[in-house]
Amino acid sequence: MSQKKSIFQLLTEKPWEKDQIESDNQHQGQTVSLTKQKLGLRTIMAASTVLFSLFIVAYSDRMLVSDWRSMPEPWLLWLNTGILVISSIVFHMTTKYAEKGIYYKTKNCLYFIGFLAYSFLIGQLIVWYQLMNTGYYATSNVANAFFYLFTAIHGLHIIGGIYFWGKTTSKFIKRSMKKEEINNLIDICAVYWHFLLAVWLVLFGLMLSS
């Protein structure tokens, strides 16, 4: 009877479930957590893409109306665009340094990214100040309203990116997480930064074409 029972157990045993349980115990739920982070990033990017796409369609249709008056192109917008491009490149380098375990270069790059992000936001505020000083208010023309709307929403996305950059940088410096987890967080932040750059290039190009 015991022999038959052992044969039955062998036939019904699922060894892959044991391997999965052991793997999950080793990760202590971290695999699920990282998956949620990536899912959250994709959700944010998808929602933001839909939002900006709707604004772009509305902008493209509205600029065909006869009362549309294009805004000037402050040189500082080009400088801000360059800052965003550099920050995206630096974030890519940061992921490579993090993968190689080069602590000081990763830390310095993260600090530099924060500096560039704040510089971009300050630069955008200066552009607003310059335009309003010359009479280009949001209520003056529809093109003006779209410009302030685009830059404000994109700026809010940058602020959100700065928040998560700050949390990731803090965890990296304190080394409160495993290397693989920190690298994953840095990679997620980098992808979001590349997304912000792509969105800004589309918006900036659209505003230039009008």
Side-chain angles (χ1 to χ4, degrees):
M1 184 70 179
S2 59
Q3 186 176 4
K4 290 182 179 180
K5 185 177 180 180
S6 62
I7 293 175
F8 177 77
Q9 288 177 340
L10 289 172
L11 291 175
T12 57
E13 189 178 25
K14 298 177 181 179
W16 59 86
E17 288 186 350
K18 292 182 179 179
D19 293 339
Q20 183 63 44
I21 292 172
E22 291 177 1
S23 177
D24 291 342
N25 290 336
Q26 289 176 358
H27 287 283
Q28 297 178 347
Q30 294 158 2
T31 303
V32 176
S33 176
L34 294 178
T35 301
K36 288 182 179 179
Q37 291 168 357
K38 290 182 178 179
L39 180 61
L41 174 66
R42 292 177 182 178
T43 303
I44 292 173
M45 290 173 59
S48 299
T49 301
V50 172
L51 177 65
F52 282 112
S53 297
L54 292 174
F55 283 136
I56 289 172
V57 171
Y59 184 92
S60 302
D61 290 340
R62 189 61 182 80
M63 65 184 291
L64 299 177
V65 181
S66 58
D67 65 343
W68 183 274
R69 295 194 303 274
S70 299
M71 291 186 66
E73 302 166 6
W75 65 269
L76 191 53
L77 281 179
W78 289 94
L79 178 60
N80 293 343
T81 302
I83 290 174
L84 210 57
V85 170
I86 293 173
S87 65
S88 184
I89 294 173
V90 174
F91 233 135
H92 176 71
M93 294 170 56
T94 306
T95 59
K96 299 302 180 183
Y97 289 141
E99 289 174 1
K100 295 178 181 178
I102 308 176
Y103 177 81
Y104 290 106
K105 287 188 176 181
T106 305
K107 182 183 70 173
N108 291 337
C109 283
L110 286 172
Y111 283 155
F112 188 44
I113 289 166
F115 170 76
L116 291 174
Y118 282 111
S119 299
F120 177 83
L121 287 178
I122 293 172
Q124 294 294 75
L125 290 176
I126 293 175
V127 169
W128 277 25
Y129 177 78
Q130 291 176 343
L131 289 173
M132 286 188 284
N133 267 357
T134 54
Y136 289 94
Y137 300 101
T139 56
S140 302
N141 184 263
V142 179
N144 301 2
F146 268 107
F147 171 82
Y148 289 113
L149 178 65
F150 282 163
T151 52
I153 294 178
H154 185 265
L156 290 175
H157 281 73
I158 291 286
I159 292 174
I162 290 175
Y163 171 76
F164 290 107
W165 157 85
K167 292 185 66 175
T168 300
T169 302
S170 176
K171 290 178 180 179
F172 175 79
I173 294 173
K174 294 177 181 178
R175 300 186 180 184
S176 57
M177 302 175 70
K178 294 181 179 179
K179 178 184 174 183
E180 293 76 13
E181 297 170 343
I182 290 292
N183 291 353
N184 188 273
L185 289 177
I186 293 175
D187 185 62
I188 289 174
C189 287
V191 171
Y192 183 67
W193 230 255
H194 300 330
F195 171 74
L196 292 178
L197 171 62
V199 169
W200 174 250
L201 291 178
V202 172
L203 294 178
F204 188 45
L206 185 65
M207 289 184 287
L208 288 179
S209 65
S210 62

